[in-house]
Amino acid sequence: WSVIYPVGMYFVISNIAMLVLTMFLPAKEETYLLRHIIVTLAAFPVVYSFYQGQKEARRPKLFSSFFAFFAGALVGAALNNVIALTPLISVSETYQSVSRAFFGGTLFLEIVAVCVLTPALEELLYRGVVYRRLRGWLGVWPSVLFSALLFGLMHANIVQFVYAGLIGILLAWLMEKYGLWAAVSAHIGANLISVLRSEFSVFPAKEETMAYLAWTGAFLLAFLVCLWALYRGTDDTRSR
């Protein structure tokens, strides 16, 4: 109950706030990002109240934040490429609708909503609260996997279930080893690469098969380098 209750409260507050906002802003894809920003800001105090009682003392460090950011960006890019090769996107109308809403606004709103506020709030909830409470009952690795599964399920479509579930494993491990700031940094990196992928043609299209596969392999290789650096890293301690 202590795990489900914070997530449930977050969704109740978010849905109520979104419902109230539709009285002032039309419920259209064009206004979704603005409504999402307001809802996220409204939910922050509620989520933080759950986190506050178990707040950790570790402060952000340059080493872990730097490599976590690039690890998130690289694994996000690789997963986006791999998923694009499957039929998952075409069979998930819910994901297509979410994608149009999240990547249909101005670049500024996408950066604020998708790359700053959403990572901060979701990491506070799913790693700062959910993962740490699970860890007290189940230990590290069962909690890493279960929190990642819950994180994927809460996105409510098959594409993001796969994507968020897999990235959730990395985020929970970063939370365990380096603390909340590392998880937030990785989440920002993953979301930023999705925004860049959507807004700019920075990577080869999947129709350019060889280049596409080569870039995907390069992303994975670079991710493994970052992961190795994070695994070996010692500049942050585990003290709480």
Side-chain angles (χ1 to χ4, degrees):
W1 176 251
S2 67
V3 172
I4 300 301
Y5 179 65
V7 178
M9 283 298 297
Y10 161 67
F11 275 94
V12 168
I13 295 297
S14 297
N15 285 320
I16 290 175
M18 190 65 80
L19 181 62
V20 171
L21 278 175
T22 58
M23 300 177 185
F24 305 96
L25 291 170
K28 298 179 179 179
E29 289 179 355
E30 293 80 4
T31 66
Y32 180 80
L33 281 179
L34 180 58
R35 287 181 287 125
H36 179 77
I37 288 171
I38 296 171
V39 167
T40 301
L41 292 173
F44 250 109
V46 177
V47 174
Y48 186 76
S49 69
F50 291 113
Y51 172 73
Q52 194 170 21
Q54 54 196 61
K55 187 163 58 174
E56 60 181 9
R58 287 181 289 184
R59 295 181 179 180
K61 296 287 185 71
L62 179 61
F63 169 85
S64 57
S65 297
F66 176 85
F67 280 101
F69 173 84
F70 281 101
L74 290 163
V75 75
L79 283 175
N80 274 319
N81 278 11
V82 171
I83 289 172
L85 293 173
T86 73
L88 291 179
I89 294 176
S90 62
V91 301
S92 178
E93 294 183 6
T94 303
Y95 170 75
Q96 294 172 35
S97 176
V98 168
S99 183
R100 287 194 300 270
F102 268 103
F103 302 116
T106 65
L107 181 60
F108 174 76
L109 287 180
E110 289 179 19
I111 294 294
V112 173
V114 180
C115 302
V116 178
L117 294 180
T118 295
L121 181 62
E122 289 187 346
E123 291 315 301
L124 198 64
L125 176 62
Y126 289 103
R127 259 59 64 178
V129 177
V130 171
Y131 168 72
R132 295 189 71 195
R133 291 186 178 188
L134 284 170
R135 184 181 181 276
W137 299 341
L138 305 176
V140 173
W141 282 108
S143 301
V144 166
L145 296 176
F146 191 82
S147 64
L149 176 64
L150 181 62
F151 184 52
L153 286 171
M154 290 300 101
H155 284 79
N157 65 76
I158 185 62
V159 176
Q160 288 179 295
F161 168 72
V162 173
Y163 179 88
L166 290 174
I167 283 188
I169 296 173
L170 171 67
L171 297 174
W173 176 75
L174 287 169
M175 174 70 191
E176 174 62 27
K177 184 168 175 63
Y178 290 108
L180 185 64
W181 282 102
V184 172
S185 297
H187 199 151
I188 289 172
N191 285 16
L192 179 60
I193 206 71
S194 293
V195 168
L196 294 177
R197 181 189 180 95
S198 172
E199 294 294 332
F200 308 103
S201 300
V202 291
F203 307 121
K206 66 179 180 180
E207 288 75 19
E208 303 172 54
T209 307
M210 293 305 297
Y212 189 85
L213 293 177
W215 272 96
T216 303
F219 291 144
L220 287 172
L221 182 60
F223 165 68
L224 291 175
V225 171
C226 289
L227 194 62
W228 178 83
L230 288 163
Y231 176 77
R232 299 279 296 181
T234 56
D235 74 342
D236 288 351
T237 67
R238 293 174 182 263
S239 61
R240 297 184 185 274

